[in-house]
């Protein structure tokens, strides 16, 4: 489903290379975990997948279902089924969350040639999804992420993911900032989305999340490259030895 | 020696002077009015249209910007349109003539033309006292009609009242006088609408809010892309009077909206709001002069501007706090979303404070659309155009939604949406 080939990317503004020849394949039905030290380029990779303009791909390619997405803007990628749950979701004053959700759902439907949702249908879907994530509807009357607590922001990201039903989900440190109960709720939400035609990429620092969302593959990202790939045992090994040990072995 | 006066007349100046010669015998008014009109045209001839050398016009060089003046059209076909608010009572000025006057409990009206002819109710046309009052001069010279309205003391006018000036281009010069009686409440929509034909429109309105009265005055300027609109609102707030003045400039080629306001009674309150949507080749100027003359008066001024294409905007906000006006509280802010490298916005805030115990502040910002916000919305599948629209709308909606009245908020937001659809 996702194939990243020898990807090189730099910060558009100053030319600093962050991703330095990264290869990664994630198949449909797979849950892949990406782990790596602070500053190794995990969030940068997720932004590049989503199409953020601040980064420039200088070499290599990103294939989604066999086709390059490099020429697609973020909205086109999202409508094609790619989704990024942000490590730091942005606050957008003045745009009501409900309105944002409705516009996003309908724009994606429009792009896929589906009818717009009726208001009652829309509200029903939001209500149901919010209930499973323990999200208060009152919160959704506020502007997007404005004044949400850290955990509320993360849950709101998963709410959006549930409503938009993407095919490729990238979760960037969704576990950080969540309390233990919320972590379980969010993990259940993600697990519910697991399926043969969907791939999930979980970026995390901690084994804990991976006990709830058990990955099929684990990849270690260091200095802009995937330096080691394994199964869930690799995550356990990391927990025991730390990055330094594991990365040294790989080098 | 006045060098400017020696410059040759521009095409527009010549056209105005010729037009006056052609029209003056048909314009309404007694001997006093005739002499006021003559004086106004003589002043125009002597001073010329103001250039940027005239302080009040520094950012709006009227002499350069008013490049042509359309001919007067006697038979232009125009019809009143639906009011912006459901259930509103509509007074219509069609091509500058009062054409529709509904009976509304608590409201009394006269046609300005009749008053000018007969000196009714002490209306006298006077040439402007100030040499830089080009809006007043043009309006005095050419005014053909308008509405004189008074709201009875303590009347609650339940239905909104729309004063609609609708035209089909040419020359449209109206003057209105509205007095809201003591303790009365009313909501007015002062709407200027027309076709895409070129027009020179001027309007002078005097609004007096008597003791304890509460008025909402919404100016909706939505004439065509070829319109030149020169307007001036005079506002007097007596003791305990409250006014919300909301200006929505949604179109026009050359727009100058002046507001000259004075808080003359203690505890008077003014909320001044303007939303200027400036696209295409439009030049849009909102100029506010506000005098706090007595103690304990309050004002807030918030201006939000959206500039696209080659749009140019201006906000001049002058607040003067007189020496006796202790405990004045005035807060002014002007924020601009500049969406084009070819557009611009000039802000000139001025606080002149002669009292020592006051709270006055002003601030101005110019920003682009936040790229991170845009990315976030697009990452959820919202197309760039829609995402930009949402963010622009959020920027102006903040002050629209302050109006609280749901129908009014909806009507204004629908117009802003339409503008975004056309210019986004
Ligand atoms: N727009 C940017 N401007 C400047 N530096 C940047 C930018 N984006 C990323 N970087 C730098 O690139 C490196 C990789 O950052 P990135 O956020 O991808 O790391 P990460 O692996 O997600 O780290 P963490 O685990 O702390 O979230 C860091 O050194 C970061 O400072
Ligand atoms: Mg990160």
């Amino acid at each position: 489903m996702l194939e990243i080939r020898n990807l090189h990317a730099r910060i558009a503004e100053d030319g600093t290379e962050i991703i330095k020849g990264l290869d990664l394949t994630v198949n449909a039905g797979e849950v892949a975990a990406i782990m790596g030290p602070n500053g190794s380029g995990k969030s940068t990779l997720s932004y590049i997948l989503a199409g953020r303009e601040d980064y420039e791909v200088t070499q290599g390619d990103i294939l989604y279902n066999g086709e390059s997405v490099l020429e697609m803007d973020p909205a086109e990628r999202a409508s094609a089924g790619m989704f990024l749950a942000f490590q730091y979701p942005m606050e957008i004053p003045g745009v009501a969350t409900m309105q944002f959700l409705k516009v996003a759902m309908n724009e994606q439907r429009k792009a896929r040639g589906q009818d717009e949702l009726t208001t009652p249908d829309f509200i029903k879907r939001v209500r149901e999804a919010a209930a499973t994530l323990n999200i208060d509807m009152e919160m959704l009357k506020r502007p997007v992420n404005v004044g949400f607590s850290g955990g509320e922001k993360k849950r709101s990201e998963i709410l959006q993911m549930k409503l938009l039903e993407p095919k490729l989900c990238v979760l960037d440190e969704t576990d950080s900032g969540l309390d233990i109960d919320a972590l379980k709720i969010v993990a259940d939400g993600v697990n519910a989305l697991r399926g043969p035609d969907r791939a999930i990429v979980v970026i995390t620092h901690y084994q804990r999340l991976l006990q709830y969302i058990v990955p099929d593959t684990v990849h270690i990202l260091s200095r802009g490259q995937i330096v080691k790939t394994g199964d869930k045992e690799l995550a356990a090994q990391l927990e025991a030895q730390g990055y330094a040990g594991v990365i040294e072995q790989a080098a | 020696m006045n060098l400017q006066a020696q410059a040759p007349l521009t095409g527009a100046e010549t056209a105005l002077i010729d037009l006056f010669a052609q029209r003056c015998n048909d314009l309404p008014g007694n001997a006093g009015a005739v002499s006021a009109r003559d004086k106004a045209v003589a002043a125009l001839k002597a001073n010329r249209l103001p250039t940027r050398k005239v302080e009040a016009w520094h950012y709006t060089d009227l002499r350069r910007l008013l490049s042509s003046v359309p001919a007067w059209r006697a038979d232009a076909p125009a019809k009143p349109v639906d009011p912006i608010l459901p259930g509103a009572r509509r007074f219509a000025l069609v091509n500058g003539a009062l054409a529709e006057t509904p009976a509304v409990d608590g409201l009394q009206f006269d046609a300005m033309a009749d008053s000018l002819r007969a000196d009714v109710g002490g209306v006298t046309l006077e040439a402007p006292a100030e040499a830089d009052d080009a809006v007043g001069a043009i309006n005095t010279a050419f005014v053909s009609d308008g509405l004189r309205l008074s709201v009875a003391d303590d009347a609650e006018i339940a239905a909104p009242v729309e004063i609609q000036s609708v035209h089909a281009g040419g020359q449209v010069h109206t003057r209105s006088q509205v007095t809201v009686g003591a303790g009365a409440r009313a909501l007015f929509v002062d709407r200027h609408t027309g076709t895409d034909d070129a027009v020179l429109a001027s309007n002078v309105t005097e609004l007096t809010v008597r003791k304890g009265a509460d008025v909402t005055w919404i100016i909706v300027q939505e004439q065509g892309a070829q319109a030149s609109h020169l307007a001036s609102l005079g506002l007097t707030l007596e003791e305990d009077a409250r006014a919300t003045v909301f200006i929505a400039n949604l179109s026009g080629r050359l727009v100058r909206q002046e507001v000259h306001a004075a808080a003359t009674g203690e505890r008077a309150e003014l909320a001044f709001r303007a939303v200027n949507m400036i696209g295409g080749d439009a030049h849009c100027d909102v100029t506010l002069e506000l005098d706090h003359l007595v103690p304990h008066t309050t004002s807030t001024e918030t201006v939000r501007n959206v500039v696209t294409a080659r749009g140019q905007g201006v906000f001049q906000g002058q607040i003067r706090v007189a020496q006796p006006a202790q405990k004045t509280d005035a807060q002014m802010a002007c924020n601009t979303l500049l969406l084009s490298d070819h557009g611009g916005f000039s802000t000139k805030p001025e606080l002149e404070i002669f009292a020592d115990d006051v709270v006055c502040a002003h601030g101005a910002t110019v920003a682009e659309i936040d790229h991170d916000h845009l990315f976030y919305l697009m990452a959820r599948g919202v197309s760039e155009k829609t995402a930009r629209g949402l963010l622009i709308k959020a920027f102006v909606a903040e002050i629209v939604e302050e109006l609280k009245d749901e129908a009014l908020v909806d009507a204004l937001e629908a117009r802003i949406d339409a503008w975004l659809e056309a210019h986004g």
Side-chain angles (χ1 to χ4, degrees):
Chain A
M1 174 166 279
L2 174 68
E3 203 183 333
I4 303 175
R5 289 186 190 155
N6 188 32
L7 188 70
H8 290 257
R10 60 187 189 193
I11 299 170
E13 201 173 22
D14 63 10
T16 313
E17 188 166 66
I18 309 282
I19 303 296
K20 305 167 178 171
L22 185 146
D23 291 284
L24 176 69
T25 299
V26 183
N27 296 312
E30 186 177 327
V31 173
I34 297 180
M35 306 183 77
N38 292 133
S40 56
K42 303 180 300 295
S43 292
T44 302
L45 175 65
S46 73
Y47 289 143
I48 293 168
L49 288 174
R52 192 169 185 162
E53 274 181 359
D54 307 46
Y55 304 97
E56 237 171 53
V57 172
T58 51
Q59 240 192 87
D61 208 345
I62 300 170
L63 305 180
Y64 172 66
N65 291 331
E67 285 181 39
S68 175
V69 298
L70 293 184
E71 295 301 312
M72 293 162 73
D73 78 15
E76 291 165 336
R77 295 182 198 198
S79 292
M82 297 172 76
F83 182 92
L84 166 62
F86 286 69
Q87 181 177 3
Y88 303 111
M90 290 145 196
E91 302 191 0
I92 309 187
V95 178
T97 307
M98 283 302 263
Q99 184 199 11
F100 159 63
L101 292 175
K102 191 169 182 193
V103 171
M105 288 169 78
N106 279 333
E107 288 250 325
Q108 290 209 15
R109 293 177 70 88
K110 207 165 71 187
R112 298 189 201 118
Q114 293 168 301
D115 283 345
E116 291 199 354
L117 294 170
T118 62
T119 300
D121 190 12
F122 162 73
I123 291 183
K124 183 163 163 273
R125 287 176 190 226
V126 176
R127 235 183 248 290
E128 282 171 7
T132 62
L133 291 167
N134 233 347
I135 290 174
D136 189 347
M137 290 297 283
E138 281 303 307
M139 189 178 104
L140 303 181
K141 289 183 183 157
R142 306 220 294 260
V144 177
N145 291 323
V146 174
F148 290 17
S149 74
E152 286 170 344
K153 283 180 186 168
K154 295 302 177 75
R155 268 184 282 171
S156 168
E157 294 289 289
I158 301 305
L159 173 72
Q160 293 171 40
M161 186 168 91
K162 277 181 92 94
L163 292 170
L164 295 169
E165 302 175 324
K167 292 285 182 257
L168 172 65
C169 312
V170 179
L171 286 78
D172 189 1
E173 294 198 26
T174 299
D175 50 341
S176 67
L178 288 180
D179 63 43
I180 294 169
D181 295 347
L183 186 69
K184 280 185 196 152
I185 290 169
V186 163
D188 287 346
V190 174
N191 285 327
L193 283 174
R194 282 180 99 144
D197 57 355
R198 189 170 272 137
I200 298 172
V201 177
V202 183
I203 296 171
T204 182
H205 285 291
Y206 302 107
Q207 166 87 30
R208 200 180 60 187
L209 179 68
L210 300 181
Q211 283 166 356
Y212 295 112
I213 306 173
V214 181
D216 300 301
T217 52
V218 174
H219 309 267
I220 298 176
L221 202 165
S222 170
R223 298 171 201 223
Q225 290 182 317
I226 299 293
V227 294
K228 196 171 168 89
T229 291
D231 59 14
K232 63 177 197 268
E233 296 310 320
L234 182 57
Q237 192 191 341
L238 269 180
E239 191 91 350
Q241 300 178 4
Y243 286 116
V246 177
I247 292 169
E248 246 164 57
Q249 285 173 26
Chain B
M1 189 173 71
N2 189 341
L3 282 176
Q4 203 190 321
Q6 290 187 331
L9 292 168
T10 63
E13 287 160 349
T14 307
L16 285 171
I17 291 163
D18 290 351
L19 182 72
F20 183 70
Q22 172 201 333
R23 291 274 294 139
C24 61
N25 291 330
D26 299 328
L27 291 167
N30 54 18
V34 169
S35 122
R37 291 180 195 278
D38 287 342
K39 261 196 225 155
V41 173
L44 199 65
K45 239 189 253 185
N47 301 325
R48 306 297 207 252
L49 290 168
T51 66
R52 52 182 299 127
K53 288 182 193 146
V54 177
E55 200 189 345
W57 296 85
H58 184 71
Y59 300 98
T60 297
D61 190 322
L62 189 63
R63 194 155 196 258
R64 183 175 61 77
L65 291 167
L66 191 69
S67 47
S68 66
V69 169
W72 182 68
R73 295 173 62 183
D75 53 356
K79 270 206 303 223
V81 294
D82 286 343
I84 68 164
L85 296 174
R89 310 307 306 269
R90 177 179 68 196
F91 288 82
L93 291 148
V94 178
N95 291 327
L98 187 60
E100 189 178 83
T101 52
V104 178
D105 275 355
L107 274 191
Q108 265 204 331
F109 65 85
D110 285 301
M112 181 59 83
D114 292 342
S115 302
L116 289 176
R117 281 189 198 99
D119 259 338
V120 175
V123 176
T124 47
L125 199 57
E126 276 177 50
E130 312 286 340
D132 61 4
D133 185 2
V135 177
I138 290 173
N139 186 266
T140 301
F142 294 105
V143 58
S144 54
D145 204 352
L147 183 63
R148 297 185 56 226
L149 210 56
S150 68
V151 180
D153 286 356
D154 297 315
E156 287 235 6
I157 310 297
V161 174
E162 178 164 318
I163 304 171
Q164 181 181 104
S165 172
V166 59
H167 57 74
Q171 297 282 327
V172 179
H173 302 278
T174 57
R175 181 175 287 231
S176 294
Q177 232 180 32
V178 177
T179 303
V180 182
R185 290 172 69 96
L187 188 164
F188 293 96
V189 175
D190 174 22
R191 183 172 174 201
H192 301 267
T193 187
T195 62
D196 281 333
D197 289 344
V199 66
L200 173 62
S202 76
N203 173 266
V204 171
T205 297
E206 283 298 330
L207 173 62
T208 305
V209 189
R210 297 256 188 254
K211 185 175 175 177
D214 186 335
V215 65
T216 301
W217 186 268
I218 312 288
I219 298 177
V220 177
Q221 189 283 117
E222 51 175 10
Q223 294 159 105
Q226 298 305 318
S228 297
H229 179 78
L230 306 175
S232 168
L233 171 68
L235 173 63
T236 305
L237 293 170
E238 298 186 354
E239 213 177 313
D240 293 304
R242 293 164 59 143
T244 296
V245 171
F246 190 104
I247 299 169
N249 276 313
L250 301 163
S251 188
R253 169 74 184 77
L254 167 60
V255 176
R256 165 90 164 191
Q257 172 72 61
E258 300 178 1
V259 175
H260 304 275
T264 63
E266 292 195 13
R267 293 172 305 280
E269 270 181 49
L270 170 65
F272 174 90
R273 302 289 180 270
V275 167
N276 299 304
M277 307 298 286
I278 311 169
D281 291 307
H283 179 104
C284 177
D285 173 333
V286 171
T287 292
L288 168 70
E289 260 185 315
L290 167 62
D291 283 299
H292 287 271
L293 297 171
V294 295
H296 299 286
T297 61
T298 307
S299 73
T300 57
E301 297 77 22
T302 312
V303 178
R304 292 276 162 100
N305 314 291
V306 176
V307 179
T308 66
R310 291 159 308 281
Q312 292 292 334
V314 179
F315 173 64
Q316 306 188 97
Q318 187 180 45
I319 299 180
R320 292 183 294 243
V321 181
Q323 198 278 325
Q326 302 297 349
K327 306 286 181 193
T328 292
D329 186 338
Q331 305 291 331
M332 178 158 67
C334 178
N335 311 106
T336 302
L337 207 46
L338 186 58
L339 303 174
S340 156
D341 293 340
H342 306 290
F345 198 94
S346 309
T347 309
K348 185 185 177 192
E350 269 182 288
L351 301 178
E352 274 183 30
I353 301 173
F354 297 103
D356 45 33
D357 185 11
V358 301
V359 185
C360 292
H362 67 79
T365 61
V366 177
E368 297 173 17
I369 282 194
D370 187 309
H371 276 81
D372 291 344
H373 293 171
L374 191 63
F375 171 62
Y376 188 84
L377 295 177
M378 288 179 73
R380 297 300 179 246
V382 181
S383 67
E384 181 167 0
K385 184 174 171 167
T386 307
R388 292 175 74 88
L390 278 174
L391 294 171
I392 299 168
K393 174 113 180 267
F395 173 73
V396 289
E398 208 176 341
I399 64 168
V400 176
E401 282 160 17
E402 265 182 43
L403 287 168
K404 298 286 190 287
D405 182 319
E406 219 174 287
L408 185 55
V409 170
D410 288 351
L412 292 172
E413 291 195 344
R415 281 172 164 71
I416 290 164
D417 285 342
W419 188 93
L420 290 171
E421 190 55 39
H423 294 84

